[in-house]
Amino acid sequence: MAAILVLFLAASSAPSPLYVIYQQQWRFTAWVLTVVFALYVFGLLGSLLVVGALSDHLGRRPVLAAAIALEVVALALFLCAGNVYVLSAARVLQGIATGAATTALSATLVDLEPSRGRAGVVTSVAPLTGLALGALGSGVLVEFGPAPTRLVYALLLGAMAPAALAVALLPETSLRRPGAVASLRPRVAMPAHLRADILPVVPAMIATWALAGMYLSLGPSVAAGLLGLHNHLVGGVVVTLLAGTGALAVLLLRSRPATRLLAPSSALLGLGTLMSLTGVREDLVRLAAAGTVVAGLGFGASVLATFGTFARVAEPHERSAVFALANVINYLGNSVPAVLGGIAVTALGLRTATEIYALAIVVITFSALALRLNQLRTERRAALTPCR
Protein backbone atom coordinates (compact mmCIF):
# COMPACT_ATOMS: atom_id res chain seq x y z
CA MET A 1 0.00 0.00 0.00
CA ALA A 2 2.91 2.34 0.72
CA ALA A 3 4.37 1.57 -2.71
CA ILE A 4 1.05 2.41 -4.38
CA LEU A 5 0.93 5.72 -2.52
CA VAL A 6 4.43 6.55 -3.78
CA LEU A 7 3.39 5.46 -7.29
CA PHE A 8 0.40 7.82 -7.44
CA LEU A 9 2.46 10.80 -6.31
CA ALA A 10 5.29 9.87 -8.67
CA ALA A 11 2.80 9.86 -11.54
CA SER A 12 1.55 13.29 -10.47
CA SER A 13 5.01 14.88 -10.69
CA ALA A 14 6.17 13.02 -13.82
CA PRO A 15 4.83 15.72 -16.20
CA SER A 16 6.92 18.50 -14.57
CA PRO A 17 10.13 17.93 -16.60
CA LEU A 18 7.97 17.55 -19.72
CA TYR A 19 6.24 20.93 -19.49
CA VAL A 20 9.15 22.65 -21.27
CA ILE A 21 8.93 20.14 -24.14
CA TYR A 22 5.15 20.50 -24.41
CA GLN A 23 5.55 24.28 -24.45
CA GLN A 24 8.10 24.10 -27.26
CA GLN A 25 6.10 21.60 -29.33
CA TRP A 26 2.68 23.16 -28.95
CA ARG A 27 3.81 26.78 -28.54
CA PHE A 28 1.62 27.81 -25.64
CA THR A 29 2.44 30.57 -23.15
CA ALA A 30 3.70 30.25 -19.58
CA TRP A 31 0.32 31.11 -18.10
CA VAL A 32 -1.25 28.21 -20.00
CA LEU A 33 1.46 25.95 -18.58
CA THR A 34 0.64 26.98 -15.03
CA VAL A 35 -3.11 26.61 -15.67
CA VAL A 36 -2.45 23.01 -16.76
CA PHE A 37 -0.58 22.50 -13.50
CA ALA A 38 -3.37 24.14 -11.49
CA LEU A 39 -6.06 21.96 -13.11
CA TYR A 40 -4.46 18.95 -11.45
CA VAL A 41 -4.53 20.73 -8.09
CA PHE A 42 -8.19 21.71 -8.47
CA GLY A 43 -9.10 18.13 -9.40
CA LEU A 44 -7.15 16.86 -6.41
CA LEU A 45 -8.73 19.36 -4.03
CA GLY A 46 -12.24 18.63 -5.28
CA SER A 47 -11.63 14.91 -4.89
CA LEU A 48 -10.28 15.30 -1.36
CA LEU A 49 -13.30 17.36 -0.33
CA VAL A 50 -15.99 15.27 -2.03
CA VAL A 51 -14.84 11.63 -1.87
CA GLY A 52 -12.33 11.92 0.96
CA ALA A 53 -14.57 10.01 3.39
CA LEU A 54 -16.17 7.67 0.85
CA SER A 55 -13.97 4.67 1.67
CA ASP A 56 -15.29 4.79 5.25
CA HIS A 57 -18.69 3.83 3.84
CA LEU A 58 -18.02 1.77 0.68
CA GLY A 59 -14.83 0.09 1.88
CA ARG A 60 -11.20 0.74 0.93
CA ARG A 61 -10.93 -1.68 -1.99
CA PRO A 62 -13.75 -0.26 -4.20
CA VAL A 63 -12.45 3.30 -3.85
CA LEU A 64 -8.85 2.25 -4.52
CA ALA A 65 -9.92 0.19 -7.54
CA ALA A 66 -11.86 3.15 -8.95
CA ALA A 67 -8.90 5.49 -8.34
CA ILE A 68 -6.52 3.14 -10.17
CA ALA A 69 -8.96 2.81 -13.09
CA LEU A 70 -9.26 6.60 -13.35
CA GLU A 71 -5.47 6.97 -13.16
CA VAL A 72 -5.12 4.48 -16.02
CA VAL A 73 -7.47 6.62 -18.14
CA ALA A 74 -5.46 9.74 -17.26
CA LEU A 75 -2.13 8.07 -18.15
CA ALA A 76 -3.60 6.83 -21.43
CA LEU A 77 -4.58 10.42 -22.26
CA PHE A 78 -1.06 11.59 -21.41
CA LEU A 79 0.32 8.87 -23.66
CA CYS A 80 -1.67 9.98 -26.71
CA ALA A 81 -1.84 13.72 -25.95
CA GLY A 82 -1.27 15.86 -29.03
CA ASN A 83 -2.42 19.23 -27.74
CA VAL A 84 -2.90 21.20 -24.55
CA TYR A 85 -6.61 20.31 -24.29
CA VAL A 86 -5.97 16.58 -23.98
CA LEU A 87 -3.12 17.35 -21.57
CA SER A 88 -5.50 19.45 -19.45
CA ALA A 89 -8.12 16.69 -19.38
CA ALA A 90 -5.46 14.20 -18.31
CA ARG A 91 -4.31 16.46 -15.48
CA VAL A 92 -7.84 16.95 -14.15
CA LEU A 93 -8.54 13.21 -14.15
CA GLN A 94 -5.16 12.54 -12.56
CA GLY A 95 -5.94 15.04 -9.79
CA ILE A 96 -9.28 13.38 -9.04
CA ALA A 97 -7.70 9.91 -9.03
CA THR A 98 -4.82 11.00 -6.80
CA GLY A 99 -7.13 12.67 -4.28
CA ALA A 100 -9.31 9.57 -4.01
CA ALA A 101 -6.32 7.25 -3.79
CA THR A 102 -4.34 9.18 -1.19
CA THR A 103 -7.21 9.41 1.29
CA ALA A 104 -8.15 5.74 0.88
CA LEU A 105 -4.52 4.59 1.02
CA SER A 106 -3.81 6.67 4.13
CA ALA A 107 -6.86 5.16 5.83
CA THR A 108 -5.82 1.66 4.73
CA LEU A 109 -2.32 2.11 6.16
CA VAL A 110 -3.82 3.13 9.50
CA ASP A 111 -6.16 0.12 9.36
CA LEU A 112 -3.22 -2.20 8.76
CA GLU A 113 -1.09 -0.59 11.47
CA PRO A 114 -3.49 0.18 14.34
CA SER A 115 -0.77 1.67 16.53
CA ARG A 116 -0.44 4.41 13.86
CA GLY A 117 3.30 4.56 14.45
CA ARG A 118 4.65 3.39 11.12
CA ALA A 119 1.45 4.39 9.32
CA GLY A 120 1.90 8.02 10.35
CA VAL A 121 5.51 8.04 9.16
CA VAL A 122 4.62 6.45 5.82
CA THR A 123 1.70 8.78 5.09
CA SER A 124 3.94 11.78 5.86
CA VAL A 125 7.05 10.67 3.94
CA ALA A 126 5.58 8.74 0.99
CA PRO A 127 3.89 11.67 -0.83
CA LEU A 128 7.04 13.83 -0.88
CA THR A 129 9.14 10.80 -1.79
CA GLY A 130 6.79 10.06 -4.67
CA LEU A 131 6.99 13.64 -5.93
CA ALA A 132 10.79 13.49 -5.86
CA LEU A 133 11.08 10.07 -7.54
CA GLY A 134 8.50 10.88 -10.21
CA ALA A 135 10.19 14.10 -11.28
CA LEU A 136 13.68 12.58 -11.19
CA GLY A 137 12.69 9.40 -13.03
CA SER A 138 10.82 11.39 -15.66
CA GLY A 139 13.82 13.67 -16.14
CA VAL A 140 16.12 10.68 -16.66
CA LEU A 141 13.79 9.09 -19.21
CA VAL A 142 13.21 12.36 -21.06
CA GLU A 143 16.94 13.04 -21.37
CA PHE A 144 18.25 9.54 -22.06
CA GLY A 145 15.30 7.44 -23.24
CA PRO A 146 13.38 7.29 -26.51
CA ALA A 147 9.99 8.97 -27.08
CA PRO A 148 10.42 11.58 -24.31
CA THR A 149 6.73 12.47 -24.06
CA ARG A 150 5.54 8.86 -24.17
CA LEU A 151 7.90 6.46 -22.40
CA VAL A 152 7.36 7.63 -18.82
CA TYR A 153 3.59 7.29 -19.14
CA ALA A 154 3.89 3.83 -20.68
CA LEU A 155 6.01 2.69 -17.73
CA LEU A 156 3.59 4.22 -15.24
CA LEU A 157 0.70 2.47 -16.99
CA GLY A 158 2.57 -0.80 -16.64
CA ALA A 159 3.15 -0.12 -12.93
CA MET A 160 -0.59 0.30 -12.40
CA ALA A 161 -1.13 -3.41 -13.22
CA PRO A 162 0.62 -4.77 -10.09
CA ALA A 163 -1.02 -1.97 -8.10
CA ALA A 164 -4.44 -3.17 -9.25
CA LEU A 165 -3.46 -6.76 -8.42
CA ALA A 166 -2.33 -5.75 -4.93
CA VAL A 167 -5.67 -4.02 -4.30
CA ALA A 168 -7.57 -7.07 -5.61
CA LEU A 169 -5.68 -9.31 -3.16
CA LEU A 170 -5.96 -6.87 -0.25
CA PRO A 171 -8.31 -8.02 2.55
CA GLU A 172 -11.00 -5.40 3.07
CA THR A 173 -10.07 -3.41 6.18
CA SER A 174 -13.23 -1.29 6.50
CA LEU A 175 -16.75 -2.67 6.61
CA ARG A 176 -19.53 -1.05 4.61
CA ARG A 177 -21.76 1.32 6.52
CA PRO A 178 -24.57 3.68 5.52
CA GLY A 179 -24.13 7.36 4.77
CA ALA A 180 -22.10 7.18 1.53
CA VAL A 181 -24.17 9.83 -0.25
CA ALA A 182 -24.16 12.17 2.75
CA SER A 183 -20.38 11.83 2.98
CA LEU A 184 -20.02 13.45 -0.46
CA ARG A 185 -21.04 16.83 0.93
CA PRO A 186 -17.85 18.86 1.55
CA ARG A 187 -17.40 19.97 5.15
CA VAL A 188 -14.97 22.83 5.72
CA ALA A 189 -14.84 24.79 8.97
CA MET A 190 -12.70 27.00 11.17
CA PRO A 191 -14.35 26.89 14.61
CA ALA A 192 -14.18 30.25 16.36
CA HIS A 193 -12.26 28.86 19.33
CA LEU A 194 -9.47 27.62 17.01
CA ARG A 195 -8.84 30.86 15.11
CA ALA A 196 -6.15 32.10 17.48
CA ASP A 197 -4.14 28.93 16.82
CA ILE A 198 -4.87 28.48 13.12
CA LEU A 199 -4.62 32.01 11.69
CA PRO A 200 -0.92 32.49 12.60
CA VAL A 201 0.07 29.38 10.61
CA VAL A 202 -1.91 30.27 7.46
CA PRO A 203 0.87 32.47 5.96
CA ALA A 204 3.36 29.63 6.46
CA MET A 205 1.00 27.21 4.70
CA ILE A 206 0.50 29.57 1.76
CA ALA A 207 4.24 30.27 1.38
CA THR A 208 5.15 26.58 1.66
CA TRP A 209 2.78 25.37 -1.01
CA ALA A 210 3.24 28.42 -3.26
CA LEU A 211 6.95 27.55 -3.35
CA ALA A 212 6.12 23.92 -4.21
CA GLY A 213 3.79 25.15 -6.96
CA MET A 214 6.54 27.32 -8.44
CA TYR A 215 9.03 24.45 -8.51
CA LEU A 216 6.59 21.92 -9.94
CA SER A 217 5.27 24.22 -12.68
CA LEU A 218 7.98 26.78 -13.52
CA GLY A 219 11.07 25.19 -11.96
CA PRO A 220 12.28 23.39 -15.11
CA SER A 221 11.65 26.54 -17.19
CA VAL A 222 13.70 28.62 -14.76
CA ALA A 223 16.55 26.09 -14.88
CA ALA A 224 16.57 26.12 -18.69
CA GLY A 225 15.71 29.76 -19.40
CA LEU A 226 17.61 31.60 -16.65
CA LEU A 227 20.40 29.23 -15.61
CA GLY A 228 21.06 27.84 -19.08
CA LEU A 229 20.62 24.22 -17.95
CA HIS A 230 18.96 22.69 -21.00
CA ASN A 231 19.52 19.08 -19.95
CA HIS A 232 16.00 17.78 -19.25
CA LEU A 233 17.28 15.75 -16.32
CA VAL A 234 17.88 19.04 -14.52
CA GLY A 235 14.14 19.75 -14.60
CA GLY A 236 13.58 16.60 -12.57
CA VAL A 237 16.51 17.32 -10.26
CA VAL A 238 15.07 20.75 -9.43
CA VAL A 239 11.84 19.22 -8.13
CA THR A 240 13.70 16.34 -6.47
CA LEU A 241 15.97 18.67 -4.49
CA LEU A 242 12.93 20.39 -2.97
CA ALA A 243 10.58 17.42 -2.47
CA GLY A 244 13.28 14.87 -1.63
CA THR A 245 14.84 17.11 1.00
CA GLY A 246 11.35 17.78 2.33
CA ALA A 247 10.73 14.04 2.68
CA LEU A 248 14.03 13.65 4.53
CA ALA A 249 13.12 16.51 6.86
CA VAL A 250 9.75 14.90 7.63
CA LEU A 251 11.47 11.61 8.42
CA LEU A 252 14.09 13.18 10.69
CA LEU A 253 11.80 15.64 12.48
CA ARG A 254 8.65 13.53 12.80
CA SER A 255 8.96 13.19 16.58
CA ARG A 256 9.44 16.92 17.22
CA PRO A 257 6.45 18.89 18.58
CA ALA A 258 4.78 21.09 15.98
CA THR A 259 5.12 24.14 18.20
CA ARG A 260 8.91 23.89 18.03
CA LEU A 261 8.98 23.60 14.25
CA LEU A 262 6.82 26.57 13.25
CA ALA A 263 9.46 29.30 13.61
CA PRO A 264 12.49 27.32 12.29
CA SER A 265 10.54 26.04 9.28
CA SER A 266 9.55 29.58 8.25
CA ALA A 267 13.12 30.82 8.71
CA LEU A 268 14.55 27.97 6.59
CA LEU A 269 11.92 28.41 3.89
CA GLY A 270 12.58 32.14 3.60
CA LEU A 271 16.35 31.80 3.74
CA GLY A 272 16.39 29.01 1.16
CA THR A 273 14.16 30.97 -1.22
CA LEU A 274 16.44 34.02 -0.90
CA MET A 275 19.50 31.88 -1.59
CA SER A 276 17.88 30.34 -4.66
CA LEU A 277 16.78 33.73 -5.94
CA THR A 278 20.30 35.11 -5.51
CA GLY A 279 21.70 32.09 -7.33
CA VAL A 280 19.32 32.65 -10.25
CA ARG A 281 20.05 36.40 -10.39
CA GLU A 282 23.82 35.93 -10.28
CA ASP A 283 23.84 32.81 -12.48
CA LEU A 284 25.30 30.72 -9.63
CA VAL A 285 23.91 27.23 -10.11
CA ARG A 286 25.42 25.81 -6.93
CA LEU A 287 23.98 28.60 -4.80
CA ALA A 288 20.55 28.09 -6.36
CA ALA A 289 20.80 24.35 -5.67
CA ALA A 290 21.95 24.91 -2.08
CA GLY A 291 19.06 27.32 -1.56
CA THR A 292 16.64 24.72 -2.86
CA VAL A 293 17.97 22.19 -0.33
CA VAL A 294 17.59 24.70 2.53
CA ALA A 295 14.08 25.57 1.32
CA GLY A 296 13.33 21.84 1.10
CA LEU A 297 14.24 21.40 4.76
CA GLY A 298 11.88 24.27 5.57
CA PHE A 299 9.24 22.75 3.30
CA GLY A 300 9.24 19.41 5.12
CA ALA A 301 9.41 21.01 8.56
CA SER A 302 6.54 23.36 7.66
CA VAL A 303 4.34 20.47 6.49
CA LEU A 304 4.91 18.75 9.83
CA ALA A 305 4.41 21.95 11.82
CA THR A 306 1.22 23.12 10.14
CA PHE A 307 -0.57 19.77 10.01
CA GLY A 308 0.69 19.06 13.52
CA THR A 309 -0.89 22.31 14.67
CA PHE A 310 -4.24 21.40 13.12
CA ALA A 311 -4.08 17.93 14.67
CA ARG A 312 -3.20 19.36 18.08
CA VAL A 313 -5.93 22.00 18.35
CA ALA A 314 -8.90 20.27 16.70
CA GLU A 315 -11.21 18.07 18.76
CA PRO A 316 -12.04 14.61 17.35
CA HIS A 317 -15.49 15.68 16.16
CA GLU A 318 -13.99 18.71 14.35
CA ARG A 319 -11.02 17.09 12.64
CA SER A 320 -12.66 16.13 9.36
CA ALA A 321 -13.87 19.67 8.63
CA VAL A 322 -10.72 21.31 10.01
CA PHE A 323 -8.38 19.15 7.93
CA ALA A 324 -10.56 19.86 4.90
CA LEU A 325 -9.89 23.54 5.60
CA ALA A 326 -6.15 22.80 5.77
CA ASN A 327 -6.31 21.11 2.37
CA VAL A 328 -8.20 24.05 0.86
CA ILE A 329 -5.58 26.52 2.13
CA ASN A 330 -2.65 24.37 1.01
CA TYR A 331 -3.87 23.58 -2.48
CA LEU A 332 -5.16 27.08 -3.22
CA GLY A 333 -1.74 28.29 -2.10
CA ASN A 334 -0.22 25.69 -4.42
CA SER A 335 -2.24 26.58 -7.51
CA VAL A 336 -3.40 30.22 -7.50
CA PRO A 337 0.09 31.77 -7.09
CA ALA A 338 1.43 29.42 -9.78
CA VAL A 339 -1.22 30.62 -12.25
CA LEU A 340 -0.54 34.27 -11.35
CA GLY A 341 3.15 33.53 -11.81
CA GLY A 342 2.47 32.12 -15.27
CA ILE A 343 0.50 35.23 -16.22
CA ALA A 344 3.38 37.38 -14.92
CA VAL A 345 5.89 35.38 -17.00
CA THR A 346 3.81 36.02 -20.13
CA ALA A 347 3.48 39.74 -19.37
CA LEU A 348 6.84 40.58 -17.75
CA GLY A 349 9.23 37.84 -18.82
CA LEU A 350 10.56 34.81 -16.98
CA ARG A 351 13.29 36.57 -14.99
CA THR A 352 11.16 39.43 -13.64
CA ALA A 353 8.22 37.16 -12.84
CA THR A 354 10.46 34.66 -11.05
CA GLU A 355 12.01 37.41 -8.93
CA ILE A 356 8.58 38.82 -8.00
CA TYR A 357 7.23 35.34 -7.21
CA ALA A 358 10.22 34.44 -5.02
CA LEU A 359 10.23 37.77 -3.20
CA ALA A 360 6.50 37.43 -2.48
CA ILE A 361 7.16 34.02 -0.93
CA VAL A 362 10.00 35.49 1.16
CA VAL A 363 7.76 38.30 2.42
CA ILE A 364 4.94 35.89 3.32
CA THR A 365 7.39 33.50 4.96
CA PHE A 366 9.03 36.09 7.14
CA SER A 367 5.57 37.45 8.02
CA ALA A 368 4.74 33.95 9.24
CA LEU A 369 7.97 33.93 11.25
CA ALA A 370 7.14 37.31 12.80
CA LEU A 371 3.64 36.14 13.71
CA ARG A 372 5.01 33.02 15.36
CA LEU A 373 7.64 34.92 17.34
CA ASN A 374 4.99 37.39 18.48
CA GLN A 375 2.76 34.50 19.51
CA LEU A 376 5.62 32.99 21.52
CA ARG A 377 6.25 36.31 23.29
CA THR A 378 2.55 36.60 24.14
CA GLU A 379 2.50 33.05 25.52
CA ARG A 380 5.66 33.72 27.53
CA ARG A 381 4.23 36.90 29.05
CA ALA A 382 0.99 35.11 29.87
CA ALA A 383 2.94 32.34 31.59
CA LEU A 384 4.93 34.85 33.66
CA THR A 385 1.93 36.96 34.67
CA PRO A 386 0.81 35.94 38.20
CA CYS A 387 -2.79 34.92 38.62
CA ARG A 388 -4.93 37.32 40.64
Side-chain angles (χ1 to χ4, degrees):
M1 294 303 104
I4 295 173
L5 183 57
V6 171
L7 175 62
F8 265 92
L9 273 296
S12 75
S13 65
S16 288
L18 291 166
Y19 285 145
V20 175
I21 297 177
Y22 290 136
Q23 196 173 12
Q24 292 170 349
Q25 289 182 351
W26 302 334
R27 300 189 181 282
F28 56 82
T29 59
W31 76 266
V32 173
L33 184 156
T34 52
V35 166
V36 172
F37 166 77
L39 287 173
Y40 163 80
V41 177
F42 290 140
L44 174 65
L45 179 59
S47 181
L48 288 171
L49 291 176
V50 175
V51 302
L54 193 60
S55 71
D56 291 336
H57 301 274
L58 298 184
R60 313 297 185 209
R61 291 174 60 196
V63 174
L64 287 174
I68 290 173
L70 194 58
E71 182 73 20
V72 166
V73 174
L75 290 171
L77 288 175
F78 278 121
L79 192 61
C80 66
N83 56 60
V84 72
Y85 302 107
V86 177
L87 182 65
S88 299
R91 284 299 272 172
V92 172
L93 292 178
Q94 188 177 53
I96 296 170
T98 305
T102 51
T103 53
L105 284 165
S106 298
T108 304
L109 287 164
V110 173
D111 295 341
L112 295 170
E113 179 68 22
S115 68
R116 301 189 181 185
R118 282 184 297 173
V121 175
V122 170
T123 54
S124 298
V125 175
L128 295 180
T129 302
L131 289 176
L133 291 178
L136 183 62
S138 178
V140 170
L141 293 173
V142 169
E143 184 62 28
F144 301 110
T149 60
R150 302 283 188 267
L151 180 58
V152 63
Y153 300 123
L155 292 175
L156 287 167
L157 267 172
M160 287 294 161
L165 179 62
V167 169
L169 297 176
L170 175 73
E172 181 56 71
T173 59
S174 178
L175 298 176
R176 284 177 174 264
R177 59 189 180 91
V181 175
S183 75
L184 300 178
R185 181 169 59 88
R187 294 174 178 83
V188 179
M190 183 190 291
H193 64 281
L194 299 184
R195 288 175 188 167
D197 292 293
I198 290 177
L199 288 177
V201 305
V202 169
M205 298 168 73
I206 293 172
T208 298
W209 291 96
L211 183 67
M214 182 176 76
Y215 272 79
L216 285 164
S217 60
L218 296 174
S221 299
V222 171
L226 299 185
L227 293 174
L229 302 173
H230 297 286
N231 185 314
H232 294 297
L233 174 58
V234 174
V237 171
V238 166
V239 177
T240 301
L241 280 177
L242 183 77
T245 307
L248 181 62
V250 170
L251 185 63
L252 295 176
L253 300 173
R254 64 187 185 278
S255 60
R256 299 291 181 91
T259 52
R260 295 186 181 180
L261 293 175
L262 284 169
S265 65
S266 296
L268 286 170
L269 200 68
L271 176 61
T273 304
L274 273 178
M275 290 171 62
S276 296
L277 177 60
T278 304
V280 170
R281 282 179 58 88
E282 303 299 326
D283 199 21
L284 299 172
V285 176
R286 291 183 179 179
L287 180 60
T292 299
V293 170
V294 173
L297 291 172
F299 177 49
S302 181
V303 169
L304 276 176
T306 52
F307 273 104
T309 298
F310 276 73
R312 175 177 59 84
V313 301
E315 297 295 332
H317 68 280
E318 301 170 328
R319 283 178 188 157
S320 176
V322 169
F323 273 99
L325 172 67
N327 284 321
V328 169
I329 295 170
N330 285 337
Y331 288 114
L332 288 180
N334 189 233
S335 56
V336 174
V339 173
L340 294 177
I343 294 172
V345 169
T346 305
L348 304 174
L350 183 58
R351 180 175 296 277
T352 302
T354 300
E355 292 173 356
I356 293 172
Y357 197 139
L359 287 174
I361 290 172
V362 170
V363 170
I364 297 171
T365 300
F366 285 128
S367 297
L369 177 60
L371 282 171
R372 178 55 184 162
L373 293 176
N374 182 65
Q375 189 180 37
L376 287 173
R377 283 194 296 268
T378 302
E379 291 173 357
R380 196 172 292 117
R381 283 198 299 266
L384 294 174
T385 301
C387 297
R388 296 183 179 181

